[in-house]
Amino acid sequence: MHLQFPRHVLLISAILFTSENSFAQKTPIQYVETRIGTAPSTTESARSHSEAGSELKGQTIPAVGVPNGMTQWTAQTRSTETKCIAPYYYTDNKFQGFRGTHWLNGSCVQDYGTLTIMPMSGELITNPELRGSTFAHEKEKTSPDYYGIWLDDQKINAEVTASARAAVMRFGFESGEESFIVIEPNSDEGQGFVEVFPEKGEVVGYNPVHRIYQGSGQPAGFSGYFVLKFDKKITQSGTFLGDTISPMSRMLTGKGKREKLGAYIGFGEERQTVTVQIGTSFTSVEGARLNLEREIGTSDFETVRKTAEKIWNQALGKIVVKGSEKDKTLFYSALYRTKLSPRLFSDVNGQYPSFAGGTPLQKADGFDYYCDFSMWDTFRAAMPLEILTEPKKAGDMVQSLVKKAEQGGWMPIFPCWNHYTAAMVGDHVMSVMADAYVKHVRNFDVKSGYEYLRKNAFEVNADPTSYEAGKGRRALKSYLQYGYVPLEDSVWQAFHKREQVSRTLEYAYDDFCLSVLATGLGKSDDAAKLQKRALNYQNVIDPGTGYARGRYADGRWISSFDPFAKRSSFITEGSPAQYTWFVPQDVAGLEKLIGGNKAFLNKLDTLFEQGHYWHGNEPNHQIAYLYPFAGQPWKTQQWTRKIIRDEYDTGPGGLSGNEDGGQMSAWLAFSMAGFYPVTPGTPQYVLGSPVFEEMTILGDKGKKFVIEAKGVSDDAPYIQSGTLNGKTFTRTYLTHDEIVNGGKLILQMGRTPNKSWGTTSADVPFSLSKTNRK
């Protein structure tokens, strides 16, 4: 496989590899620690606010592959495809094999369509819990392009590297006993299939995928397919079902009785190295074979690894930073985690299973088709980061969402497993599409996308069957009737069944985003209606308390109310005091509603100073960036730096909550760079406090945007003054065009706040009410 790199990649290489005395600098991939988030969180915020045990975990894996690959590969320490159980936990000490995984990065969902490949010596054991070999973390070699481990019990050196849809493994059998490899489709339902071709040195199979949330347990209409090719002669083989091993058996189909099943092959009694190539697909065995041939072909292990390394350095090297070695590890590890999902779903020939049913096979023409959008999380910063650094790929992702709507009839809300889920609240494809549009990403069918988004916003799905299956905006009828979702309206056809205030706040923001698209497309009537609906947040912010509060259909506020209760039935995964701040489209209007500037700032200060802020869940993520809207940007500089240091670390417990599709790390990557997209759907980024003395974003056609923070340190996080391209700069935000067109922002940093910088009305970021008043 030969790669040709565009000119900007050569520029990246020049920056990364040039040094005095010919000593090469470390490349971005060398800073990545893939095990961050694989152990329970060590942060105080997580211990204070997490309730479910899974909330204490980053739920990440040491994934090997390439950015946004179809199938990632991880050491497996847990054998289930069960909700909230990741394939790998740092606290485990038994290696059960390499898993080809479709785990949603940092989630509390389930894996699907996977297989596990385990080398063994001596006695053949197929049960994953019994066959597991002890290993030491000190002997793990982890990188985005490679994972290697020494298996103490088996005396095997196991290694894996991968491309987007295929992988190569290398097993060094050192015991001299019989060498085995076990191949297991990980179907919890026991519905997998395997077939062995000893004469060809091949094993093929599949693992049927089942839905989660809406239609939980129902067939999803497609499977995870695989083809394995071995470079050594197979001397024995067979299949297994449960604890029953059947030598010489060539084929086995699971009966759906939740039994473990798979195949095994043997290579004789000698010290030897066996290499296996694996192709994967969601369309067919033939698709898996084609992906293997096209992506790997005759390439050896080291060639595949070097190719993956180059691809990662290209992706991570879009942002170049100067600072401490630990901060580089923190930053590039975070950037790596933002690039594990959404996942590529189409084969090398463009084929992929239809959305919401699997058949017929579709073909992506002129774009790559992606799935597994953790949309409630990633619309906030992970997708905006993709739009900023990988606009072509981001456009493909948005076009994938359009195709899902065209094939399923409604725009999905939280599309995972190539199906509707209605897993979370909100309707945030509106945010992602508007954000792409206003930032000049246009390689998607915006007119078709708009029509399906409009359908979500204006049409109540009156068909109970398809509504229950996840099609249509939840609780839309009452939202349109009252301007908010009243407490009487529980949404039984969703995973989150109440949470009426959170739904209202998020719908108001989504309506704003759709108004942006409507304006851009010249649909003035829609835009006017949607801008009015964007103010619906006012209907669930109680002026008496200044907090988001549950409300009945007759207008009464819920009587029993504690704004700092860690969980409330009308709030999604958080407190009313936290969710009050989710009005990114109109912070100025929110300030007025809750009592003016002084009350606004007092409430923000209370949240942070009294420990009510919870970084481990996404609705909190924009809050620290709201101080500039109220004239105190230095507090954003103070609190974002504190969050970076308190809530993130380079150890396995270094995340303060579920990674959630890359959002936890996208916040960190943006914040270390010095700015954050508070309101996706507008072309603005609110300034925080850069961690690095210099940060460079490499754009298209050799353009570079540089932020130089002079004198910056943890003791000097405060902006004293600034210049942008040589001119005095006092705004508390940057525009997208200013970044992508290239330039230089120089910030003078200091140990004490400059309380006059960035405080005039002209310095304040966008708010809908502020715009309307002009």
Side-chain angles (χ1 to χ4, degrees):
M1 178 176 178
H2 300 284
L3 294 179
Q4 291 184 336
F5 294 96
R7 191 174 72 176
H8 73 270
V9 177
L10 301 179
L11 177 61
I12 295 170
S13 300
I15 293 175
L16 294 175
F17 297 110
T18 301
S19 61
E20 296 181 4
N21 302 322
S22 299
F23 287 106
Q25 299 177 21
K26 289 173 69 174
T27 61
I29 195 174
Q30 291 174 300
Y31 285 106
V32 175
E33 171 52 75
T34 63
R35 294 170 295 183
I36 295 173
T38 61
S41 177
T42 56
T43 74
E44 184 59 37
S45 172
R47 290 194 290 268
S48 298
H49 293 276
S50 299
E51 289 191 337
S54 61
E55 290 177 346
L56 273 170
K57 300 170 184 174
Q59 297 285 77
T60 60
I61 57 175
V64 172
V66 296
N68 305 101
M70 172 183 284
T71 304
Q72 288 140 1
W73 297 86
T74 180
Q76 174 182 304
T77 66
R78 304 281 177 100
S79 65
T80 69
E81 285 190 346
T82 302
K83 190 172 184 291
C84 294
I85 303 297
Y88 175 99
Y89 288 104
Y90 190 86
T91 51
D92 296 338
N93 65 355
K94 291 289 186 72
F95 174 92
Q96 299 176 351
F98 285 129
R99 182 189 293 208
T101 179
H102 307 117
W103 176 252
L104 180 56
N105 174 31
S107 65
C108 188
V109 289
Q110 67 190 40
D111 212 337
Y112 68 91
T114 73
L115 76 149
T116 299
I117 301 168
M118 175 68 181
M120 301 202 66
S121 292
E123 182 184 4
L124 174 64
I125 303 173
T126 59
N127 183 295
E129 280 72 33
L130 298 178
R131 75 180 182 227
S133 176
T134 56
F135 70 97
H137 289 298
E138 294 76 18
K139 294 184 179 179
E140 281 181 303
K141 298 177 181 178
T142 62
S143 179
D145 63 319
Y146 172 85
Y147 179 98
I149 188 66
W150 172 254
L151 305 182
D152 295 327
D153 301 338
Q154 304 288 336
K155 293 183 172 53
I156 298 171
N157 189 47
E159 303 169 282
V160 62
T161 188
S163 61
R165 306 170 179 89
V168 183
M169 296 178 191
R170 188 165 60 189
F171 301 122
F173 295 93
E174 299 296 332
S175 71
E177 299 181 86
E178 181 74 30
S179 302
F180 290 106
I181 293 178
V182 175
I183 303 100
E184 181 181 7
N186 298 304
S187 171
D188 274 356
E189 295 80 7
Q191 293 183 358
F193 168 82
V194 288
E195 186 170 7
V196 185
F197 298 94
E199 66 283 357
K200 295 196 298 182
E202 284 189 5
V203 177
V204 304
Y206 61 80
N207 179 4
V209 176
H210 295 79
R211 297 183 66 186
I212 192 172
Y213 299 122
Q214 273 53 50
S216 180
Q218 297 174 6
F222 67 97
S223 299
Y225 296 90
F226 57 87
V227 172
L228 284 72
K229 291 187 173 184
F230 300 89
D231 72 338
K232 292 291 178 68
K233 181 179 179 181
I234 296 173
T235 59
Q236 62 168 305
S237 63
T239 63
F240 64 90
L241 180 64
D243 295 326
T244 303
I245 295 174
S246 301
M248 306 294 289
S249 170
R250 297 174 64 105
M251 184 189 302
L252 179 64
T253 302
K255 305 302 182 184
K257 296 182 179 180
R258 299 186 177 274
E259 294 176 292
K260 300 289 186 182
L261 64 96
Y264 70 91
I265 51 178
F267 300 94
E269 296 182 356
E270 60 178 295
R271 296 178 63 184
Q272 59 185 320
T273 298
V274 177
T275 301
V276 53
Q277 295 182 333
I278 310 104
T280 66
S281 171
F282 292 117
T283 65
S284 63
V285 168
E286 292 74 20
R289 191 183 305 279
L290 180 65
N291 291 339
L292 176 59
E293 291 173 353
R294 293 272 188 91
E295 290 193 350
I296 292 181
T298 58
S299 297
D300 62 12
F301 187 97
E302 296 302 333
T303 300
V304 174
R305 181 181 179 182
K306 288 182 186 301
T307 300
E309 180 186 20
K310 288 178 181 178
I311 293 171
W312 274 111
N313 276 325
Q314 173 190 353
L316 299 173
K318 293 290 182 71
I319 305 179
V320 180
V321 295
K322 293 182 181 179
S324 72
E325 293 296 283
K326 182 175 181 179
D327 279 343
K328 288 180 182 179
T329 294
L330 202 62
F331 177 79
Y332 283 117
S333 299
L335 205 55
Y336 152 80
R337 292 191 298 274
T338 69
K339 297 180 178 296
L340 300 180
S341 59
R343 86 175 62 260
L344 181 64
F345 223 79
S346 51
D347 291 339
V348 290
N349 63 2
Q351 285 195 324
Y352 63 92
S354 289
F355 183 70
T359 55
L361 292 181
Q362 304 284 342
K363 186 168 184 179
D365 187 10
F367 74 103
D368 288 326
Y369 177 80
Y370 291 87
C371 200
D372 289 351
F373 290 82
S374 188
M375 196 60 75
W376 184 76
D377 312 288
T378 59
F379 83 89
R380 306 166 197 269
M383 287 303 298
L385 184 63
E386 194 75 22
I387 289 167
L388 177 61
T389 60
E390 300 281 358
K392 167 60 171 66
K393 183 184 285 189
D396 283 1
M397 291 175 179
V398 178
Q399 179 66 0
S400 300
L401 293 166
V402 174
K403 288 300 180 182
K404 294 177 199 304
E406 291 176 350
Q407 292 162 24
W410 293 81
M411 185 63 73
I413 292 168
F414 192 94
C416 287
W417 306 269
N418 205 38
H419 227 296
Y420 293 96
T421 68
M424 298 298 294
V425 303
D427 198 358
H428 299 312
V429 175
M430 296 184 182
S431 171
V432 172
M433 198 169 294
D435 199 46
Y437 185 82
V438 300
K439 293 171 180 173
H440 317 299
V441 173
R442 302 290 173 86
N443 57 313
F444 65 95
D445 189 340
V446 63
K447 291 183 179 179
S448 178
Y450 178 81
E451 290 306 316
Y452 284 101
L453 290 175
R454 189 189 188 282
K455 183 178 181 181
N456 272 28
F458 285 94
E459 295 185 27
V460 175
N461 186 356
D463 176 56
T465 302
S466 66
Y467 181 70
E468 185 173 355
K471 298 182 180 183
R473 188 186 280 195
R474 310 289 95 174
L476 178 61
K477 183 178 180 180
S478 63
Y479 176 75
L480 293 177
Q481 180 179 352
Y482 299 102
Y484 62 96
V485 183
L487 291 173
E488 291 92 337
D489 191 354
S490 295
V491 185
W492 304 117
Q493 305 91 341
F495 179 71
H496 289 259
K497 302 186 185 308
R498 294 184 173 87
E499 305 173 14
Q500 297 90 342
V501 170
S502 294
R503 291 184 194 280
T504 302
L505 291 171
E506 295 193 25
Y507 288 162
Y509 163 69
D510 293 327
D511 289 342
F512 161 76
C513 291
L514 190 56
S515 79
V516 171
L517 283 172
T519 299
L521 295 174
K523 300 181 183 294
S524 55
D525 289 345
D526 282 358
K529 293 175 184 176
L530 289 161
Q531 283 193 16
K532 183 178 179 181
R533 284 167 51 173
L535 301 177
N536 280 345
Y537 72 88
Q538 297 171 350
N539 298 325
V540 291
I541 303 294
D542 172 20
T545 64
Y547 286 109
R549 187 171 182 178
R551 195 172 193 181
Y552 294 100
D554 63 5
R556 289 179 299 118
W557 299 102
I558 192 170
S559 57
S560 177
F561 179 64
D562 176 4
F564 303 110
K566 291 182 180 179
R567 299 293 186 276
S568 294
S569 66
F570 50 85
I571 295 293
T572 301
E573 299 180 3
S575 72
Q578 293 163 359
Y579 242 101
T580 296
W581 307 104
F582 189 77
V583 188
Q585 75 277 17
D586 194 20
V587 181
L590 176 66
E591 178 183 323
K592 182 178 179 181
L593 182 62
I594 64 178
N597 184 258
K598 184 176 180 180
F600 183 93
L601 290 168
N602 283 342
K603 278 183 163 51
L604 272 180
D605 290 344
T606 296
L607 191 80
F608 287 103
E609 292 171 3
Q610 295 185 11
H612 299 299
Y613 176 82
W614 177 26
H615 192 71
N617 213 6
E618 284 69 26
N620 291 254
H621 278 191
Q622 85 285 356
I623 302 176
Y625 284 91
L626 299 185
Y627 282 104
F629 291 84
Q632 292 189 350
W634 67 89
K635 288 184 179 175
T636 286
Q637 297 154 28
Q638 169 191 331
W639 286 111
T640 55
R641 181 60 61 96
K642 180 173 174 53
I643 293 167
I644 288 169
R645 295 311 183 202
D646 288 355
E647 304 295 339
Y648 297 91
D649 200 1
T650 56
L655 289 177
S656 61
N658 289 180
E659 171 64 24
D660 283 330
Q663 171 57 28
M664 191 70 66
S665 293
W667 188 96
L668 179 62
F670 266 123
S671 296
M672 292 185 79
F675 55 95
Y676 187 80
V678 169
T679 314
T682 69
Q684 293 186 357
Y685 305 88
V686 178
L687 282 177
S689 175
V691 166
F692 296 106
E693 59 192 71
E694 187 173 294
M695 182 280 308
T696 303
I697 297 177
L698 300 174
D700 293 334
K701 300 178 182 178
K703 293 179 179 178
K704 298 188 295 182
F705 183 78
V706 179
I707 296 180
E708 183 180 347
K710 292 187 174 181
V712 71
S713 70
D714 285 349
D715 294 326
Y718 297 106
I719 298 173
Q720 307 298 302
S721 62
T723 61
L724 179 62
N725 301 328
K727 297 180 179 180
T728 299
F729 181 84
T730 60
R731 276 190 280 117
T732 57
Y733 64 92
L734 290 164
T735 70
H736 186 76
D737 284 350
E738 285 169 340
I739 295 174
V740 299
N741 290 335
K744 189 169 189 177
L745 175 65
I746 299 177
L747 300 174
Q748 184 65 51
M749 311 300 289
R751 301 173 71 90
T752 58
N754 177 354
K755 295 184 179 181
S756 63
W757 183 87
T759 58
T760 71
S761 59
D763 297 326
V764 177
F766 167 86
S767 280
L768 186 59
S769 291
K770 180 183 176 185
T771 302
N772 289 343
R773 287 198 299 266
K774 289 184 178 179

